[in-house]
């Protein structure tokens, strides 16, 4: 939701912190703030401003304050409690401005804590839940900051990633987490703190991930955490987290989709044996052999990858599978037996609803498998075993290349489990060989980028869009619609083609274009009848079709061609034009493509 940055070490210009915070702007961007301890004045300076981080920097420079500070904390906000105002922006402070706090998460019992503290004489100035933390620390402080924070957190119900500084105990940066991600970036005689790795890569690639219920007390030369923690090496380079000259991270990440597939399959395919090697599953391989039912749980775009996976696992691995979205599954009472395994799909590995469902399954002793992109994330650490999708840093809020990484990983998992069961060597070899060719085929699809941009220009004045697909491409229709919705703010719906005549067809007319995903696969004839139903009512149709299919041109208005491949693999080609279409539409409409309104990259609260 929000992004937190902290630093302690040498006296530094607060703008160093602003640079790090900019890399977290996709986590929330309605207001931002900074607080820094100035040892010369023995004072904590702070500035908070509504709007983007550029606004904050401008306000800081206009403040004429001395910009040198150590330690310092910064925050970029995605409002949950209290309107978007300068006062509600973080950092928050206590009655005497002795303690400053930035927070990512939700304090559920803030109202009763506030009431109690006001009765004790504390003066509140904001509507934000976080402010209760500052007054509790003020209440418990007796000379030792971490002790006051420890006592404060005992009273808090909810989720938090917090960073605290104080002029009463200035040589310390105290941070803590419960559910919201927080890591320490270990530098030479300096430590950065951040909500995710993107903020620290410019300074270090050595991080320590805080676990739930841990407090870290950091001073210039060292730090103390109550529990031993593994040192994790970040795979990504700073260069990878840059825009590389693209106007938006989203376009860069779409152009990296072939690379994402290549990274996912690298060193995992055994062409001769028609097998897939997934080292992260070795420890549970025998357990997986006995599994006869799979539950796949995910949210948003990741849930659409899971839906495509469901088709693959049933058809090619011969295992019964079901998919549910995290926010529903966590409250369902599924009937499951011991031969069931649960697979959790998440780019960030920090999505609260998916994590809650994971903890439910662990509680019930179900084998849990993670398909995750972010190394060392909570999902990766809490599942029994898993596979990293290796898609690299995905900065744009709209997920694109990570989706390709998820589909490629689910395809490999299908071969892995299928070959443990009835899948024959020839089929294993066929799928493995198609996967091997896929990065080049995906590159080929990207060559249509300018044609797709033209299509976006042609259709930019329409306000409503249908996306239809069948079988493996029914989930891709859902994905295409979500992408267009979340960044262009146009109304778009994805539906399985066969459902049109059960209602949606009523909306079809010349003002309601449809994007029909119709590769030449086992259900091609069916989707063509759906297209004809639409054309019969004057609806414009853009087709995503298999190269060489000239007939389709006769019945639709526009065609984007994709190369031929195995039916189960077509989603990894058919989705690319949909990602590009959504991107060009949003860019044409002048939207902030990487920071769509009201959204955030990883949804860490329920
Ligand atoms: C996709 O573009 C969205 N950002 C969103 O639906 C996202 O897929 C969802 O929040 C799940 O995120 P995760 O993969 O990090 O768990």
């Amino acid at each position: 939701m929000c992004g937190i940055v902290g630093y302690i070490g040498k006296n530094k210009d607060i703008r160093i912190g602003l640079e790090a915070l900019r890399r977290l702007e996709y986590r929330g961007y309605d207001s931002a703030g900074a607080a820094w301890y100035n040892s010369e004045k023995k004072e904590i300076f702070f500035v908070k401003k509504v709007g983007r981080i550029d606004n904050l920097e401008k306000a800081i420079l206009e403040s004429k304050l001395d910009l040198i500070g150590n330690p310092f904390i910064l925050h970029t906000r995605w409002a949950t409690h209290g309107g978007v105002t300068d006062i509600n922006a973080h950092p928050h402070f206590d009655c005497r401005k002795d303690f400053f706090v930035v927070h990512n998460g939700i304090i559920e019992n803030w109202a009763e804590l506030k009431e109690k503290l006001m009765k004790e004489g504390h003066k509140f100035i904001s509507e934000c839940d976080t402010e209760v933390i500052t007054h509790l620390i003020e209440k418990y402080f007796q000379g030792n900051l971490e002790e006051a924070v420890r006592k404060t957190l005992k009273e808090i119900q909810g989720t938090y990633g917090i960073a605290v500084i104080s002029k009463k105990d200035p040589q310390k940066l105290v941070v803590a987490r419960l559910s919201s991600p927080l890591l320490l970036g270990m530098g030479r005689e300096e430590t950065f703190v951040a909500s995710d790795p993107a903020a620290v890569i410019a300074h270090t690639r050595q991080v320590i991930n805080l676990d739930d219920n841990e407090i870290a007390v950091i001073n210039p030369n060292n730090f103390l955490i109550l529990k031993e923690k593994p040192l994790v090496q970040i795979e990504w380079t700073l260069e990878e987290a840059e825009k590389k000259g693209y106007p938006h991270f989203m376009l860069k990440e779409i152009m990296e989709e072939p690379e994402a597939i290549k990274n996912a399959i690298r060193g995992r395919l055994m062409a001769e044996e028609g097998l897939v090697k997934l080292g992260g599953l070795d420890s549970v391989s025998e357990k997986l052999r006995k599994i006869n039912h799979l539950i796949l749980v995910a949210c948003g775009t990741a849930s659409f990858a899971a839906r495509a996976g469901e088709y693959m696992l049933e058809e090619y691995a011969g295992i019964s599978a079901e998919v549910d979205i995290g926010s529903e599954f966590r409250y369902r009472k599924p009937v499951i037996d011991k031969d069931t395994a649960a697979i959790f799909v998440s780019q960030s590995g920090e999505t609260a609803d998916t994590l809650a469902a994971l903890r439910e399954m662990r509680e019930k002793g179900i084998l849990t498998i993670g398909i995750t992109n972010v190394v060392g994330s909570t999902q990766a650490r809490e599942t029994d075993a898993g596979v990293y999708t290796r898609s690299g840093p995905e900065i744009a809020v709209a997920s694109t290349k990570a989706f390709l990484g998820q589909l490629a990983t689910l395809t490999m998992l299908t071969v892995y489990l299928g070959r443990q069961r009835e899948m024959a060597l020839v089929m294993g070899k066929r799928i493995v060989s198609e996967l091997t060719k896929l990065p080049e085929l995906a590159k080929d699809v990207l060559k249509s980028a300018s044609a797709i941009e033209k299509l976006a220009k042609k259709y930019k004045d329409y306000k409503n869009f249908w996306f239809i697909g069948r079988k493996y491409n029914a989930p891709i229709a859902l994905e295409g619609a979500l992408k267009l919705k979340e960044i262009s703010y146009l109304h778009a719906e994805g539906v399985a083609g066969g459902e049109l005549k059960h209602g949606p067809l009523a909306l079809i007319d010349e003002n309601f274009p449809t994007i029909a995903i119709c590769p030449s696969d086992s259900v091609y004839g069916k989707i063509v009848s759906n297209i004809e139903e639409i054309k019969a009512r004057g609806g414009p149709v853009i087709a995503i079709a298999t190269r060489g299919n000239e007939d389709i041109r006769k019945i639709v208005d526009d065609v984007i061609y994709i190369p031929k491949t195995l039916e189960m693999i077509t989603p990894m080609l058919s989705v690319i034009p949909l990602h590009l279409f959504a991107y060009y539409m949003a860019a044409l409409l002048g939207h902030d493509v990487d920071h769509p309104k009201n959204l955030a990259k990883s949804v860490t609260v329920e």
Side-chain angles (χ1 to χ4, degrees):
M1 295 317 254
C2 305
I4 285 178
V5 165
Y7 170 85
I8 190 162
K10 310 173 194 93
N11 271 340
K12 284 235 173 167
D13 184 312
I14 188 69
R15 280 170 288 190
I16 302 276
L18 282 170
E19 273 325 299
L21 191 69
R22 272 200 178 83
R23 296 188 185 289
L24 300 184
E25 197 164 33
Y26 61 79
R27 300 179 62 90
Y29 30 85
D30 57 43
S31 54
W36 60 105
Y37 178 74
N38 182 278
S39 51
E40 212 177 293
K41 298 269 185 337
K42 302 211 171 332
E43 223 2 288
I44 292 184
F45 297 150
F46 71 97
V47 176
K48 315 199 278 182
K49 209 76 198 134
V50 166
R52 305 284 296 278
I53 295 168
D54 293 350
N55 257 18
L56 173 64
E57 180 158 23
K58 197 156 147 292
I60 287 176
L61 297 176
E62 281 160 7
S63 73
K64 302 275 178 281
L65 292 164
D66 175 349
L67 301 185
I68 300 304
N70 173 32
F72 55 64
I73 53 177
L74 300 100
H75 183 274
T76 182
R77 185 177 185 225
W78 192 86
T80 54
H81 283 82
V84 176
T85 64
D86 290 1
I87 290 190
N88 286 338
H90 296 219
H92 286 278
F93 43 81
D94 63 302
C95 305
R96 284 186 287 274
K97 298 195 177 70
D98 291 337
F99 307 100
F100 283 73
V101 173
V102 290
H103 167 226
N104 169 25
I106 290 182
I107 310 294
E108 281 152 16
N109 61 339
W110 71 280
E112 75 231 38
L113 287 172
K114 182 172 181 176
E115 202 180 324
K116 206 168 75 186
L117 287 161
M118 286 171 79
K119 283 205 186 88
E120 294 166 11
H122 289 267
K123 300 265 174 300
F124 280 73
I125 62 166
S126 81
E127 305 153 306
C128 192
D129 56 336
T130 305
E131 196 183 342
V132 291
I133 300 177
T134 63
H135 293 283
L136 283 169
I137 295 173
E138 175 185 17
K139 174 178 173 184
Y140 291 119
F141 184 76
Q142 278 151 355
N144 177 293
L145 186 57
E146 67 268 24
E147 201 40 36
V149 171
R150 210 174 54 70
K151 289 193 179 123
T152 293
L153 296 178
K154 283 198 176 336
E155 298 216 24
I156 300 279
Q157 282 152 24
T159 61
Y160 55 79
I162 60 169
V164 186
I165 59 172
S166 169
K167 64 180 178 195
K168 296 259 184 190
D169 200 354
Q171 291 315 313
K172 278 181 192 157
L173 171 61
V174 175
V175 300
R177 84 156 269 175
L178 178 60
S179 175
S180 304
L182 208 55
L183 56 84
L184 278 56
M186 314 315 296
R188 216 181 291 288
E189 291 169 21
E190 63 178 10
T191 305
F192 277 81
V193 164
S195 300
D196 77 39
V200 301
I201 285 181
H203 307 282
T204 174
R205 298 176 59 201
Q206 308 276 317
V207 299
I208 290 184
N209 290 293
L210 273 194
D211 260 340
D212 279 355
N213 303 314
E214 286 186 341
I215 299 177
V217 188
I218 314 163
N219 45 50
N221 309 315
N222 62 31
F223 66 93
L224 173 70
I225 295 180
L226 303 175
K227 209 163 72 187
E228 276 315 303
K229 301 299 314 162
L231 202 60
V232 177
Q233 174 87 2
I234 300 178
E235 305 298 324
W236 313 329
T237 62
L238 175 65
E239 199 263 333
E240 281 179 307
E242 299 289 354
K243 258 192 218 152
K244 289 190 187 157
Y246 285 96
H248 296 102
F249 278 108
M250 184 178 177
L251 184 58
K252 169 192 167 252
E253 288 155 8
I254 294 173
M255 293 305 170
E256 289 173 345
E257 290 184 335
E259 198 60 27
I261 298 169
K262 198 185 270 178
N263 291 344
I265 62 178
R266 193 182 54 246
R268 291 169 165 172
L269 304 183
M270 303 156 73
E272 274 322 300
E273 303 84 348
L275 291 172
V276 165
K277 203 169 57 230
L278 298 172
L281 300 183
D282 287 353
S283 60
V284 295
S285 172
E286 283 320 306
K287 279 194 187 152
L288 283 170
R289 199 181 288 284
K290 301 193 189 74
I291 294 298
N292 60 22
H293 184 63
L294 292 170
I295 302 176
L296 294 97
V297 180
C299 300
T301 282
S303 72
F304 303 143
R307 289 198 185 288
E310 180 185 19
Y311 284 96
M312 298 175 192
L313 290 159
E314 289 182 335
E315 181 163 5
Y316 288 91
I319 306 180
S320 83
E322 66 176 274
V323 175
D324 206 346
I325 49 175
S327 53
E328 281 304 311
F329 188 79
R330 62 185 295 180
Y331 295 112
R332 249 182 67 194
K333 200 169 168 331
V335 181
I336 34 188
D337 64 25
K338 61 177 181 33
D339 301 331
T340 294
I343 299 177
F344 299 88
V345 186
S346 173
Q347 186 286 127
S348 61
E350 302 293 353
T351 300
D353 288 325
T354 308
L355 290 176
L358 161 60
R359 290 166 184 152
E360 268 300 297
M361 289 299 99
R362 285 179 63 84
E363 210 47 50
K364 294 186 170 43
I366 297 294
L367 176 64
T368 58
I369 305 291
I371 293 182
T372 318
N373 187 40
V374 176
V375 175
S377 59
T378 307
Q379 175 173 293
R381 283 180 281 122
E382 294 193 8
T383 38
D384 299 309
V387 184
Y388 283 122
T389 58
R390 303 176 182 154
S391 310
E394 189 176 69
I395 308 291
V397 168
S399 183
T400 52
K401 63 175 180 176
F403 183 65
L404 276 293
Q406 290 159 355
L407 289 172
T409 304
L410 284 159
T411 311
M412 290 188 286
L413 184 66
T414 300
V415 176
Y416 183 96
L417 298 172
R419 297 286 280 128
Q420 280 186 334
R421 292 162 176 75
E422 316 307 313
M423 184 190 284
L425 168 64
V426 273
M427 179 47 81
K429 286 179 86 164
R430 183 123 186 265
I431 300 172
V432 165
S433 105
E434 284 297 319
L435 274 175
T436 313
K437 285 188 265 170
L438 199 55
E440 285 314 309
L441 298 182
K443 268 202 202 124
D444 190 15
V445 177
L446 288 175
K447 292 189 190 120
S448 317
S450 56
I452 295 166
E453 185 169 14
K454 280 206 193 76
L455 272 185
K457 284 193 180 113
K458 176 178 174 185
Y459 287 88
K460 78 171 179 27
D461 300 325
Y462 288 91
K463 299 287 177 259
N464 303 286
F465 290 83
W466 278 117
F467 288 74
I468 62 172
R470 297 193 71 144
K471 202 173 174 187
Y472 286 99
N473 285 289
I476 303 307
L478 300 173
E479 167 62 7
L482 175 66
K483 274 299 103 63
L484 188 62
K485 262 187 285 223
E486 69 178 312
I487 58 171
S488 73
Y489 316 146
L490 296 171
H491 167 240
E493 280 190 58
V495 65
E499 274 299 291
L500 274 178
K501 54 189 173 299
H502 302 292
L505 205 56
L507 287 174
I508 293 290
D509 62 21
E510 64 284 358
N511 302 315
F512 210 134
T514 297
I515 296 180
I517 309 159
C518 49
S520 309
D521 59 13
S522 64
V523 286
Y524 176 71
K526 306 299 174 199
I527 193 94
V528 166
S529 343
N530 300 141
I531 292 172
E532 282 157 353
E533 287 160 10
I534 295 167
K535 291 310 295 173
R537 285 138 184 99
V541 175
I542 303 169
I544 310 291
T546 302
R547 189 160 298 134
N549 173 359
E550 289 308 315
D551 292 346
I552 193 77
R553 278 188 190 286
K554 301 184 194 105
I555 57 171
V556 299
D557 302 83
D558 295 284
V559 186
I560 299 287
Y561 284 107
I562 58 174
K564 184 153 190 54
T565 182
L566 264 184
E567 179 173 19
M568 75 187 281
I569 289 184
T570 53
M572 282 177 266
L573 298 178
S574 62
V575 75
I576 301 175
L578 306 186
H579 285 168
L580 282 169
F581 184 76
Y583 169 76
Y584 287 123
M585 193 63 100
L588 271 171
L589 296 171
H591 296 316
D592 184 344
V593 175
D594 286 340
H595 306 95
K597 66 181 164 72
N598 304 341
L599 296 181
K601 182 65 184 171
S602 66
V603 184
T604 53
V605 291
E606 188 184 353

